[in-house]
Amino acid sequence: MSLADRLRAALDRTTGHAPIQGDDYDKANDHYVPAAVLVAITDRPHPGLLLTLRQPHLRRHAGQIAFPGGRVDPEDQDVIATALREAREEIGLDPDRVDIVGMSDTYRVGTGFVVTPVIGVIPPDLALAPQEDEVAAVFETPLSFLLEPGNHSLQSVMWEGRERRFHEIMWEDRRIWGATANMIVNLAQRLQAAGL
């Protein structure tokens, strides 16, 4: 069975895991703007997951590691179209090279978005063209490392007078944290509960 088929079957199964639903702080007053990210997994014997390093000068999430993605535009047919459009704009990923296998749990961020992670399988070693104004780097992290619960560290920090809790995943010199790490943890729990 192909990687795409195994992922599709795992994501189609109903699981009993309780997903992390969003940040503990809420600045949106329950009025969230739909958004989507592309969780692109490379089809190789040891699959990887594509992540981006955002430029340090950006107004939001500067210098952080993220999935390619953004808000749903009115012309987008659905969240899949949003994730594919954003991945093309941010890293030059051709939508025709992405085999969509399903979606993971939605995640609310305190900046007012409800994000749908769209899971897709891509061929390995594609030539990508990061949009330099927004993306400082694109890199691949081993999927097995990201999905291993022992690599998920729960952290807390005081922010605006409240304790904020979030997951952190350290891979080499890369710090994956916050919404991106929480979405990875949700996916890991979902795939583990489905027996993948």
Side-chain angles (χ1 to χ4, degrees):
M1 185 182 286
S2 71
L3 173 63
D5 288 340
R6 286 185 290 133
L7 286 167
R8 191 174 284 113
L11 290 168
D12 281 346
R13 289 191 193 115
T14 302
T15 65
H17 90 105
I20 306 164
Q21 295 185 333
D23 290 336
D24 292 334
Y25 70 106
D26 180 3
K27 291 188 173 180
N29 297 317
D30 288 325
H31 298 290
Y32 290 92
V33 176
V37 294
L38 182 66
V39 181
I41 298 171
T42 55
D43 190 3
R44 57 172 90 241
H46 299 286
L49 191 149
L50 287 187
L51 292 165
T52 68
L53 176 65
R54 292 172 58 80
Q55 289 286 8
H57 66 268
L58 294 174
R59 187 168 53 92
R60 287 189 176 165
H61 313 297
Q64 292 184 15
I65 291 172
F67 297 112
R71 75 171 61 225
V72 174
D73 283 351
E75 63 270 16
D76 292 336
Q77 181 178 354
D78 53 24
V79 291
I80 294 172
T82 300
L84 292 173
R85 175 182 54 76
E86 289 283 346
R88 171 174 268 190
E89 291 173 3
E90 290 183 25
I91 63 173
L93 177 58
D94 182 352
D96 292 335
R97 304 304 304 270
V98 184
D99 183 0
I100 300 297
V101 297
M103 288 173 263
S104 190
D105 305 291
T106 58
Y107 186 85
R108 297 185 319 271
V109 294
T111 49
F113 294 92
V114 59
V115 183
T116 301
V118 176
I119 318 300
V121 174
I122 63 172
D125 307 315
L126 289 177
L128 300 172
Q131 205 279 338
E132 293 181 6
D133 287 343
E134 190 170 345
V135 178
V138 179
F139 63 96
E140 185 175 335
T141 304
L143 183 63
S144 60
F145 181 90
L146 293 175
L147 298 184
E148 172 55 48
N151 295 326
H152 306 161
S153 172
L154 188 59
Q155 303 290 327
S156 66
V157 66
M158 291 303 293
W159 188 72
E160 293 187 348
R162 294 177 60 187
E163 182 183 38
R164 183 174 176 203
R165 295 164 57 89
F166 57 90
H167 281 91
E168 178 181 80
I169 303 169
M170 294 299 300
W171 181 71
E172 296 184 345
D173 62 343
R174 309 282 192 183
R175 178 181 183 238
I176 306 162
W177 68 283
T180 301
N182 285 340
M183 285 187 269
I184 290 170
V185 170
N186 276 345
L187 179 61
Q189 291 175 351
R190 186 167 182 151
L191 295 179
Q192 183 181 38
L196 187 70

